[in-house]
Amino acid sequence: EQYVNMGYDNAHYWLKITVKNNQKTVSEWLLASYIQLAEKIDIYYKNNDRFIKDSGGIAVPKEKRKIKISYPFFVKLAIQKNETKTIYIHVSSRFTYQFDFTIGDSISTLTDANNRGNYHVVLLVFILALLLYNVFVYFSLKDKSYLYYVLHLLFLVLYNCSINAVFNGLFPSAAALSYAARIFSLAVVISALLFTKSFLSLKETFPGINKYI
């Protein structure tokens, strides 16, 4: 598995990887990326003297992908026993260059994707339960600290959803999804700072620190 983070850029990137199938029985492989914010990913590889192209990324609608799952980049690779293929990957995005690449047999890779999805669901349910509990505490105590904590948890849920494909179908474009992820991440930080200031009463206990938060 390889992870690439080029930050925010408006350039195009090409990657070249070489894959050899050392398995005796597996001939169908999947090249996958679980990071959601790469806008367009194209792959090219040679098969029977002609180049095969496949595409993915948040700019490609789910119904236009060959593998129709929530993760935006899952493409098939036909690699026979002891065969070596060179794969060219073209990544373009107007916003952020964050992507990872994993190659595995179709069964284990799809199982891993399903397990990751289940993990995120469990995590989000836990955070939502914590959020609802703190809503109850806020209305009971009327303490502003709990309101900031509730907002922090809410923005944390929204941010995790935006980078884990949950919101892909709700936004009109890849640009809107990318902007939303940035806004939610900023809101997570701001709400955490407000909670810290209020919960620790920094204005009274540490006025020097409070001026910089």
Side-chain angles (χ1 to χ4, degrees):
E1 181 173 336
Q2 298 293 327
Y3 179 80
V4 180
N5 185 353
M6 304 300 295
Y8 290 91
D9 200 350
N10 196 31
H12 290 245
Y13 288 90
W14 283 90
L15 302 119
K16 176 184 176 182
I17 60 175
T18 301
V19 182
K20 182 177 180 180
N21 183 6
N22 292 318
Q23 302 296 317
K24 295 180 179 180
T25 57
V26 180
S27 60
E28 183 175 281
W29 298 81
L30 291 179
L31 176 64
S33 176
Y34 296 100
I35 302 296
Q36 306 305 306
L37 298 181
E39 191 171 3
K40 183 76 181 296
I41 305 175
D42 300 309
I43 73 158
Y44 305 84
Y45 68 96
K46 203 169 185 179
N47 190 40
N48 296 328
D49 297 324
R50 67 186 184 93
F51 273 96
I52 305 295
K53 177 186 176 182
D54 207 342
S55 300
I58 59 176
V60 180
K62 184 176 179 180
E63 59 272 12
K64 292 186 178 181
R65 303 175 199 153
K66 293 180 180 177
I67 302 178
K68 296 174 174 56
I69 62 175
S70 295
Y71 291 103
F73 186 73
F74 267 65
V75 297
K76 292 181 179 181
L77 300 174
I79 308 176
Q80 303 302 319
K81 178 184 174 182
N82 294 324
E83 184 181 15
T84 300
K85 284 190 182 296
T86 300
I87 302 169
Y88 301 91
I89 304 173
H90 173 237
V91 184
S92 61
S93 179
R94 291 170 291 170
F95 307 100
T96 179
Y97 283 91
Q98 297 179 16
F99 40 89
D100 60 349
F101 292 109
T102 300
I103 296 179
D105 66 89
S106 57
I107 295 176
S108 62
T109 304
L110 289 174
T111 300
D112 181 52
N114 184 63
N115 291 338
R116 289 182 184 228
N118 292 337
Y119 167 77
H120 288 300
V121 169
V122 171
L123 179 63
L124 290 175
V125 168
F126 174 77
I127 296 176
L128 285 172
L130 191 60
L131 186 154
L132 292 174
Y133 170 76
N134 281 276
V135 168
F136 173 77
V137 173
Y138 168 70
F139 282 111
S140 299
L141 302 179
K142 303 297 182 182
D143 187 338
K144 192 165 58 175
S145 299
Y146 288 96
L147 176 61
Y148 292 139
Y149 189 54
V150 166
L151 290 174
H152 174 69
L153 292 174
L154 176 62
F155 290 127
L156 187 63
V157 168
L158 293 174
Y159 174 71
N160 275 278
C161 288
S162 66
I163 65 171
N164 285 296
V166 178
F167 281 176
N168 280 6
L170 301 181
F171 285 83
S173 66
L177 180 61
S178 182
Y179 281 127
R182 290 192 227 179
I183 292 171
F184 293 148
S185 64
L186 180 61
V188 167
V189 175
I190 293 174
S191 58
L193 291 175
L194 291 173
F195 168 72
T196 301
K197 289 182 64 173
S198 178
F199 186 74
L200 298 179
S201 301
L202 290 183
K203 191 173 182 179
E204 292 78 25
T205 55
F206 298 100
I209 296 176
N210 182 70
K211 289 192 299 184
Y212 295 100
I213 297 182

